[in-house]
Amino acid sequence: MKNYLFELKEGLIIAFRAIRSNKIRAALTTLGIVIGVTSVVLMATAIRGIDTSFKEGISSLGADVLYIDKWAWFSNEDWWKIRKRKNIRIEEYEEFKNLIKLPKAVAPTLWIINKVKRDDKNIENVFVTGTTSDYLSTTNFSFSAGRFFTDVESRGSRYTAVLGSEIAESLFPRESAIDREIKVGDVTYRVIGVLEKQGSFILGNFNPDKQVYVPIGTIFKHFISDRIRSITINVRAQNPDMVEATKEEATAVMRKVRGLEFGEENDFSVNQQEGLTTNYDQTVGVISIAGYFITGLSLFVGAIGIMNIMFVSVKERTKEIGIRKAIGAKRRTILAQFLIESSLICLLGGLIGLLLAVLLSQLMAQFLPTTIQVDIVMIAIGISLLTGIIAGFAPAYTASKLDPVEALRYE
Amino acid sequence: MTIINIEHIAKIYQVGSEQVHALRDVTLKIDKNEYVAIMGPSGSGKSTLMNMLGCLDTPTHGLYQFNGKNVSQMNDNDLATIRNKEIGFVFQTFNLLPRSDALHNVELPLIYAGVSSSERKDRAYEALKSVGLADRVHHKPNELSGGQKQRVAIARALVTKPSLILADEPTGNLDSKTGEEIMELFNNIYEQGNTIILVTHEEYIAEHAVRIIRIKDGLIEKDEAVKRRYIPNSVSKNINTVGTV
Ligand SMILES: Nc1ncnc2c1ncn2[C@@H]1O[C@H](COP(=O)(O)OP(=O)(O)O)[C@@H](O)[C@H]1O
Ligand SMILES: [Mg+2]
């Protein structure tokens, strides 16, 4: 045991000395590992960032919310058949709401994309969702100022608006938006509430932070009719365990509302975030496999470089190996010596790569909610060491097998 | 006590389709505290024999017993252990590690023997002192003269207190005056009770030993005691004061 420790220490001394006496070569060799580790770490961090923001986004949608829609989010059904479905109308929603028992809340939604402005500030392509006061109970929204519209306001189609945090920030930087006026297209609304930041990057424009909520009646009146575009009915179950039962009830009630005969196919879809998650997992799974493969490839190229330089190193130090063997170094000692050297080179490369990745991830943090986490750091260090051991093995093994007599004669 | 017992040893190298008989049929015994010179012309098999004796190589045929242990059949690991603990090598070209200072070079066999760091340093320093290099411990080989390098190599050979010191043409790369000083050092080491085998092709160097084994074409030609042994006219018997070169 003692021997191993001394040999390890000797191995480290030799390795440091070898690297120091060949600084430029070591630096060039390490470059491959640096690039490899940097890209692997950034890749992992990016994927994690996308993951986090998606999961955040999806949870703001709520695991317990069903979306009754003309369209199926994910379906193998014929698109043309779906297209021919009747629109879901607001009257159907009213009937549905009266019949259904299980849900915690149901609300109709219909969104448009329009310009939102306030005085000289305006934002193009904002998602403006028309809904009712019930909508609030289908979400987990909290407010940084004001409130959602009331039943009276939504029934009366009052020109009241609730702003997502980013919209409020853009239109009313450093001032309160409450009771101020904004325009959606040419229609003037009064701001009655501002949402707290939900922070869900992946949902893009569906992100509540980037939306404006108004009573659905005002949408029908000024922008689009439910004759032309189907509304969506958001149904929130009492709790996640009730989702399946709620889905069954909602389907049955909706069939009744739509006047479907027994045996007729549903002419609507009950969508769920779960489908989104599965779909996301598949997509991101493929992307990350491709990403890890490509970044892994750069690490592989780096490893080849290390292997190459270690072979050169063994060749150059044949005589030294002979001397060490003559005075009692065993095979494993020589093997360990070169493995330590290649691991050390890779470890140095890995650490530099990590440092670079940390710096670059600061840039990435601008558009992805992510930071390099401890486990990724550990994995990166582990990968560097492993690369060193794998890349160094063949050269080290060659060195350990050298015949001492031959090695001593080598000039 | 017999340290080396070799019976009918042969070493055959395969060079292409040809077989080179470096050693044909060598039988010899060497006892503790002998001072033996192995002599012969170039290509006679001296180095091959020395590699065999030093457990750097194993014979193609024959028996080799070292301190009663049969080493002709040992594996690499066991041979490494014997080299480490029982044998001290001194080479014509010194064979020091160029990037390590004298102290570390001398420490090296002790590292492989698993000796603790402080004990290692002490023993390496003592060994360097005994060859007259107490003031050169932190010099790198390229900062030392040829004679000094060979002294470091001798210190490295002595530091493990081996049962056998093997020197292959130790004066071959030195001028005659320095060579003589190294031979003086060997004489002192011998007189302290060590066993030395010296390989040389120079009659004059061989006569420093007590016994000469002459080989030719891989066979022992003659094995005899030196009639008029050349004993270096040491300045003093105390090797600690052997003049530094
Ligand atoms: N590794 C080897 N492969 C082939 N032939 C060798 C090898 N080593 C030594 N020989 C041959 O064996 C003979 C003895 O060599 P060596 O022991 O080196 O002689 P010396 O040291 O007396 O000059 C020579 O003919 C040499 O060419
Ligand atoms: Mg020779």
Side-chain angles (χ1 to χ4, degrees), chain A residues 2-3 6-7 9-10 13-14 17-18 21-22 316-317 319-334 337 400-406 408-409 411, chain B residues 13 51 54-57 76-78 80-81 83-85 87 89 91 93 95-101 104-105 108-117 120-121 140 156:
Chain A
K2 229 166 38 175
N3 290 34
F6 296 153
E7 284 172 14
K9 194 176 154 213
E10 170 74 6
I13 292 171
I14 300 165
R17 227 178 248 152
S21 65
N22 267 315
E316 277 176 356
R317 278 146 66 190
K319 180 104 182 184
E320 178 195 317
I321 295 163
I323 297 171
R324 289 180 184 277
K325 285 200 155 189
I327 59 181
K330 297 193 166 82
R331 277 188 183 174
R332 64 159 159 80
T333 315
I334 302 292
Q337 178 190 323
S400 75
K401 294 284 271 186
L402 282 177
D403 173 29
V405 176
E406 299 281 329
L408 276 171
R409 248 212 304 259
E411 285 307 327
Chain B
Y13 291 109
N51 291 339
C55 297
L56 284 167
D57 210 347
D76 280 8
N77 252 356
D78 296 338
T81 306
R83 290 198 294 270
N84 182 238
K85 297 208 157 48
I87 297 166
F89 288 97
F91 301 95
T93 53
N95 285 350
L96 299 175
L97 298 184
R99 288 196 283 259
S100 302
D101 64 16
H104 189 254
N105 264 293
L108 204 56
L110 299 177
I111 291 175
Y112 296 136
V115 177
S116 75
S117 174
R120 241 157 44 204
K121 295 245 169 357
K140 301 256 172 81
R156 181 179 65 187

Side-chain angles (χ1 to χ4, degrees), chain B residues 124-234:
Chain B
Y125 178 75
E126 282 308 313
L128 281 167
K129 205 166 101 183
S130 77
V131 298
L133 286 179
D135 55 345
R136 294 285 190 276
V137 287
H138 292 303
H139 287 235
K140 301 256 172 81
N142 62 5
E143 298 158 352
L144 296 169
S145 71
Q148 287 171 330
K149 278 187 233 183
Q150 199 57 298
R151 283 164 192 272
V152 174
I154 292 170
R156 181 179 65 187
L158 290 172
V159 78
T160 54
K161 300 192 168 53
S163 4
L164 174 66
I165 302 210
L166 272 176
D168 192 359
E169 309 261 12
T171 59
N173 278 20
L174 303 173
D175 61 63
S176 57
K177 182 172 166 289
T178 315
E180 189 50 37
E181 282 167 358
I182 293 298
M183 291 318 291
E184 239 175 80
L185 190 50
F186 275 117
N187 190 53
N188 292 339
I189 292 166
Y190 162 62
E191 285 180 357
Q192 288 186 331
N194 289 295
T195 312
I196 300 175
I197 300 177
L198 179 75
V199 174
T200 183
H201 64 275
E202 288 181 88
E203 194 67 41
Y204 157 74
I205 292 292
E207 280 173 358
H208 286 72
V210 177
R211 171 182 165 195
I212 296 184
I213 296 169
R214 291 173 201 278
I215 63 171
K216 200 179 171 190
D217 295 332
L219 282 168
I220 294 184
E221 199 183 31
K222 224 182 215 173
D223 184 348
E224 57 186 357
V226 178
K227 289 175 201 94
R228 266 184 29 248
R229 183 171 174 238
Y230 186 91
I231 299 170
N233 58 335
S234 267

